[in-house]
Amino acid sequence: MCLTPYDACYNVAAMKPYVLKSGPDQPAEPTFSIKYEEELNAGQLAAVQAIDGPILVIAGAGSGKTRTLVYRVARLIESGIPPASILLLTFTRKASEEMLHRVGALIGLRTERVTGGTFHSTANMLLRRYGRAIGLEPGFTILDRGDSEDVINLLRAQHGLNDKARRFPRKNTINEIFSKAVNKLLPVEDVILGEFPQFTDEIEDLQKLCRAFESYKRSRLLVDYDDLLVRLRELLDQDEGVRRRVSEAYRYVLVDEYQDTNRLQAEIVRRIAATHDNVMVVGDDSQSIYAFRGATFRNIMDFPTLFPGTRIFKLEENYRSTQPILTLANEVISLAAEKYSKTLFTRKGEGPQPVLVKAGDENTQSRFVAQRILELREEGVPLDEIAVLFRSSFHSFDLEIELSRRNIPFVKRGGFKFIETSHVKDILAHLRVVENPKDAVSWNRLLTLLEGVGPKKSRTLIDTMLSREGDWLDVLKAAAEKGAGALGLRDLVRLLEDIGGASMTPAEQMNAVCGYYVPILKQQYDDYPKRTKDLEHLYTIAARYGSLGSFLADLTLEPPDSSLLNVETADRDAERLVLSTIHSAKGLEWHTVFIIWALDGKFPSFYSLTSDEDIEEERRLFYVAVTRAKQNLYMSYPVNVYDKISGMVFSKPSRFIDEIRQDCLDTWSLIDEDDFRD
């Protein structure tokens, strides 16, 4: 046998055969540990199983929106999607943490790398990572609303706009104008003409002030809440490389409560999803009620236009309310001028008809509500399972008196947030100047706490420190040698030297600041014992952090719910009736709900009657109120209403009630016991 050179080098007979398959390998079908078909209804399942492309989930009230999002994240991970490529955007960090905790309970610890948070916390993270591309250093300070107003006030004075004889808007109004312009993507002029026409003559000065405000912040490494979104959009617009990196990093984007987003947030979602369009938004057009905060109803209605090829899923099965309540809710929203059609239904048993109560006057209405609450309490309904809802906060004043007279304990939604209390802002100012020595707002706050240091001296010191970058401590030391405020400045210098060291933890820094600040606290406030409890609370929060920057950023972006100030310890765990505006009640539910002042001019508000768009938002607000009730719903209005000019006048029920079919309601007329006996 004659061997070829090839055969000589390679023994053909000894070679091991490798068989090529006829076609490409097919990826193995994913195996799912969760029985999705058993745990979700048909609408939820369809939304959860959809993987790629743009998806809009219209989630009716009480239809299991959160459950759908939780199972959607789990399904993505079980389908082989890397957790780090999933971005979950919510309106509170608590919401995202709760969802991811529930996902973790379903499928284990694979959710740890999922990015979940608010629009603002996500913007903060991305700007600190990539912000240098637009000239924003990662050590920027975040201003809260009060800080922004202080800057505006400072600039207003510098521009000679503090003339008391002149009707110029206050600092909080100016901040509101600027914020609305940002969130609605409108010029300042348009916001003034549309919502603040009384300041039309001041447009030019307000435009100048707005430009000065923006310049001031940028030169001092300061950003406010609105800036976080503005600068993120700027980053994603101007740097294609960053936009692509962010979009490719987050291949699957989920957005909760999409009906509450503003135009800026919608544009950010569009840019993050630029390379893939794998974005699912969940919301309810019928619960779009935050136009006053800049949210726009158009975002959810125009989503299919913004993302061509959008698949729409509807969640219509309600797990909260009885069918009579849902029938009334369907009636209310069916007359909306623009909507995604849906019909809420439930498998729960029938319940009592919603009740419309005609009261003779306001006090009679209050007496009815109080009496019926006591009856429900006797029937076994806990007080904290009962809520009284109203369009505006002042609508409950008479009722509050009646409840107090009958010893019915209640809590009213509202009050100062923890981060907005003056003593907490004082403490944080000392920490913020350590993190960012260019933070003039915080410098002014902590300097003016010192005896002998007024606004003028504070401004001089701050200007000198900022002009001598890097030598700010030397400026303070020189000022502490002599003159007014020298003693206080020396104490401040010692504190800042102590807490400025890199070795101290945020908790240790907090402890040092509190030790310095408590004597000042005792001088400033008669109720300092209560306020010291807030400082203890702040220390507890700081102890969870290893970085001062992270502590300050998180505290500003996701502040604790409330201050301990004005909270009586003895009542903290007590069962209390809930009084709430409807805006504050969104997302909550109670066994029994009372809606008071359900009459035209009160609900819908008198101020909405001239605008079709505003009337539609009032209709959605009424729908939100109705759908908070699980078992009982009472709507009441006083027939006789006092008017300052005309005296007592006859009222008529809300147009939203007038539009409801009569067979959807029981109507009660109140009669005094003495009159009934006669």
Side-chain angles (χ1 to χ4, degrees):
M1 181 178 176
C2 184
L3 297 178
T4 66
Y6 178 86
D7 293 332
C9 296
Y10 301 97
N11 187 344
V12 177
M15 290 183 182
K16 186 177 180 179
Y18 179 84
V19 180
L20 295 176
K21 296 180 180 179
S22 57
D25 288 341
Q26 297 296 317
E29 287 291 322
T31 57
F32 300 110
S33 62
I34 302 170
K35 298 181 184 300
Y36 294 93
E37 294 81 359
E38 296 177 9
E39 298 189 26
L40 301 171
N41 65 40
Q44 294 168 339
L45 181 64
V48 165
Q49 289 180 330
I51 300 297
D52 295 325
I55 298 165
L56 170 61
V57 180
I58 301 298
S63 63
K65 165 182 68 67
T66 300
R67 185 177 183 85
T68 303
L69 279 168
V70 166
Y71 278 79
R72 161 75 170 179
V73 175
R75 182 80 174 196
L76 288 173
I77 295 173
E78 288 207 302
S79 298
I81 306 300
S85 68
I86 300 172
L87 173 63
L88 174 62
L89 293 171
T90 61
F91 276 85
T92 66
R93 181 169 294 178
K94 182 180 178 181
S96 65
E97 289 176 347
E98 181 183 342
M99 288 184 200
L100 295 179
H101 176 76
R102 288 172 59 179
V103 177
L106 289 173
I107 62 172
L109 299 177
R110 286 175 283 176
T111 60
E112 289 180 346
R113 298 193 65 194
V114 174
T115 299
T118 66
F119 278 92
H120 292 89
S121 65
T122 301
N124 175 58
M125 177 263 295
L126 293 174
L127 286 171
R128 294 192 190 276
R129 187 178 298 171
Y130 302 114
R132 281 197 173 102
I134 55 171
L136 182 62
E137 294 295 319
F140 61 81
T141 294
I142 303 171
L143 300 176
D144 66 17
R145 187 171 293 104
D147 294 331
S148 295
E149 290 174 2
D150 288 344
V151 172
I152 288 169
N153 207 38
L154 175 69
L155 296 173
R156 185 174 64 175
Q158 290 180 358
H159 285 71
L161 301 172
N162 276 349
D163 185 359
K164 292 183 179 180
R166 180 181 184 186
R167 192 181 179 188
F168 201 76
R170 298 172 183 262
K171 62 180 183 179
N172 58 323
T173 304
I174 298 171
N175 193 44
E176 185 179 357
I177 292 170
F178 293 172
S179 181
K180 286 196 171 187
V182 169
N183 288 296
K184 293 186 176 185
L185 299 180
L186 292 172
V188 167
E189 179 181 2
D190 289 1
V191 174
I192 296 169
L193 292 174
E195 301 186 43
F196 303 88
Q198 67 271 33
F199 300 121
T200 300
D201 293 341
E202 308 296 348
I203 286 177
E204 187 175 345
D205 281 334
L206 284 166
Q207 289 172 323
K208 289 179 181 177
L209 189 59
C210 185
R211 291 192 292 271
F213 183 44
E214 295 304 318
S215 176
Y216 184 96
K217 290 185 292 181
R218 292 197 177 220
S219 66
R220 291 165 173 80
L221 275 181
L222 303 173
V223 299
D224 58 24
Y225 290 142
D226 298 328
D227 291 330
L228 288 169
L229 302 184
V230 170
R231 302 303 297 273
L232 178 59
R233 186 190 62 167
E234 181 185 339
L235 174 65
L236 297 175
D237 278 347
Q238 294 187 8
D239 195 303
E240 184 178 353
V242 171
R243 180 171 68 250
R244 182 167 291 278
R245 286 173 69 182
V246 172
S247 185
E248 290 178 350
Y250 301 117
R251 299 285 302 176
Y252 291 87
V253 181
L254 294 85
V255 186
D256 189 22
E257 302 286 6
Y258 192 72
Q259 80 281 346
D260 295 335
T261 55
N262 58 41
R263 288 183 61 191
L264 192 52
Q265 290 164 329
E267 290 196 0
I268 288 170
V269 172
R270 173 68 272 186
R271 285 157 176 77
I272 293 176
T275 64
H276 49 74
D277 282 356
N278 295 329
V279 54
M280 170 187 276
V281 301
V282 181
D284 185 4
D285 55 298
S286 301
Q287 298 187 69
S288 180
I289 60 173
Y290 293 118
F292 69 93
R293 284 195 327 210
T296 173
F297 175 70
R298 296 258 44 95
N299 279 353
I300 194 165
M301 300 308 299
D302 296 342
F303 183 85
T305 303
L306 188 63
F307 288 89
T310 292
R311 287 174 288 170
I312 300 175
F313 300 93
K314 297 179 183 179
L315 308 183
E316 297 176 294
E317 183 172 354
N318 178 284
Y319 295 91
R320 175 186 299 155
S321 307
T322 61
Q323 191 59 53
I325 293 172
L326 296 180
T327 300
L328 185 143
N330 290 332
E331 280 280 308
V332 170
I333 209 63
S334 67
L335 295 176
E338 188 177 9
K339 61 185 181 298
Y340 290 102
S341 295
K342 60 182 178 295
T343 303
L344 297 181
F345 69 93
T346 184
R347 301 183 194 185
K348 296 175 68 174
E350 290 290 313
Q353 288 278 81
V355 177
L356 176 64
V357 180
K358 298 180 180 180
D361 54 26
E362 180 179 15
N363 186 249
T364 305
Q365 175 180 247
S366 299
R367 288 165 56 203
F368 160 72
V369 172
Q371 179 176 310
R372 189 71 190 105
I373 287 169
L374 290 173
E375 291 169 349
L376 289 164
R377 188 70 184 84
E378 288 296 314
E379 294 168 12
V381 181
L383 276 181
D384 53 11
E385 271 293 322
I386 306 172
V388 183
L389 307 182
F390 31 84
R391 175 63 181 85
S392 300
S393 184
F394 66 90
H395 290 170
S396 69
F397 288 171
D398 185 79
L399 176 61
E400 291 171 42
I401 296 170
E402 185 67 25
L403 293 171
S404 298
R405 190 178 70 81
R406 301 196 187 207
N407 294 316
I408 301 174
F410 64 88
V411 58
K412 190 173 180 180
R413 304 296 186 195
F416 281 105
K417 291 193 174 175
F418 180 88
I419 196 78
E420 296 171 346
T421 55
S422 55
H423 53 298
V424 171
K425 289 174 73 70
D426 288 345
I427 288 285
L428 295 181
H430 293 80
L431 298 174
R432 283 173 171 161
V433 298
V434 172
E435 184 70 5
N436 176 15
K438 292 183 177 181
D439 185 348
V441 177
S442 293
W443 275 120
N444 185 66
R445 188 171 195 99
L446 63 87
L447 287 171
T448 52
L449 287 172
L450 305 178
E451 189 175 347
V453 180
K456 186 177 180 180
K457 185 174 182 98
S458 172
R459 191 159 53 248
T460 301
L461 284 170
I462 293 168
D463 290 344
T464 306
M465 284 191 292
L466 295 181
S467 66
R468 294 167 57 182
E469 191 169 344
D471 296 328
W472 58 271
L473 198 56
D474 291 336
V475 173
L476 287 182
K477 286 180 178 178
E481 291 295 328
K482 59 180 179 179
L487 181 61
L489 284 167
R490 283 198 291 273
D491 290 339
L492 177 62
V493 167
R494 281 195 293 271
L495 171 72
L496 296 178
E497 284 181 322
D498 289 341
I499 67 175
S503 61
M504 292 187 82
T505 66
E508 291 169 338
Q509 291 170 310
M510 263 291 307
N511 194 49
V513 175
C514 287
Y516 162 85
Y517 177 72
V518 166
I520 299 174
L521 181 74
K522 290 180 178 179
Q523 287 183 337
Q524 296 273 343
Y525 306 102
D526 292 333
D527 59 349
Y528 69 87
K530 286 184 179 179
R531 295 177 186 263
T532 57
K533 296 292 185 183
D534 280 341
L535 304 189
E536 294 170 10
H537 186 193
L538 196 60
Y539 175 85
T540 304
I541 297 171
R544 302 199 297 262
Y545 288 84
S547 154
L548 180 61
S550 298
F551 167 62
L552 293 173
D554 281 1
L555 197 65
T556 307
L557 292 168
E558 291 288 335
D561 290 334
S562 60
S563 169
L564 296 177
L565 192 66
N566 300 324
V567 176
E568 297 296 332
T569 305
D571 293 335
R572 199 169 297 162
D573 297 323
E575 182 188 304
R576 291 178 291 178
L577 170 75
V578 176
L579 307 184
S580 176
T581 63
I582 300 165
H583 285 101
S584 297
K586 186 175 176 292
L588 303 176
E589 60 184 40
W590 294 271
H591 176 277
T592 298
V593 168
F594 295 83
I595 304 172
I596 61 174
W597 284 102
L599 56 81
D600 256 26
K602 301 290 187 182
F603 199 178
S605 163
F606 172 80
Y607 299 102
S608 69
L609 299 180
T610 57
S611 165
D612 290 342
E613 185 178 335
D614 289 346
I615 285 289
E616 286 301 295
E617 175 142 333
E618 293 284 304
R619 178 185 302 280
R620 296 192 294 269
L621 189 62
F622 192 81
Y623 173 86
V624 168
V626 166
T627 54
R628 299 312 93 197
K630 294 190 288 187
Q631 184 73 18
N632 297 320
L633 175 63
Y634 300 93
M635 300 167 289
S636 63
Y637 71 98
V639 175
N640 298 292
V641 179
Y642 182 77
D643 182 79
K644 283 184 181 179
I645 299 174
S646 309
M648 199 66 71
V649 297
F650 287 109
S651 68
K652 61 178 183 178
S654 168
R655 64 192 64 194
F656 307 135
I657 292 176
D658 266 352
E659 294 165 350
I660 298 171
R661 297 195 327 267
Q662 290 302 304
D663 61 345
C664 296
L665 284 167
D666 279 343
T667 302
W668 294 3
S669 183
L670 304 181
I671 304 172
D672 277 320
E673 186 176 28
D674 291 340
D675 295 338
F676 182 74
R677 287 172 179 171
D678 292 342

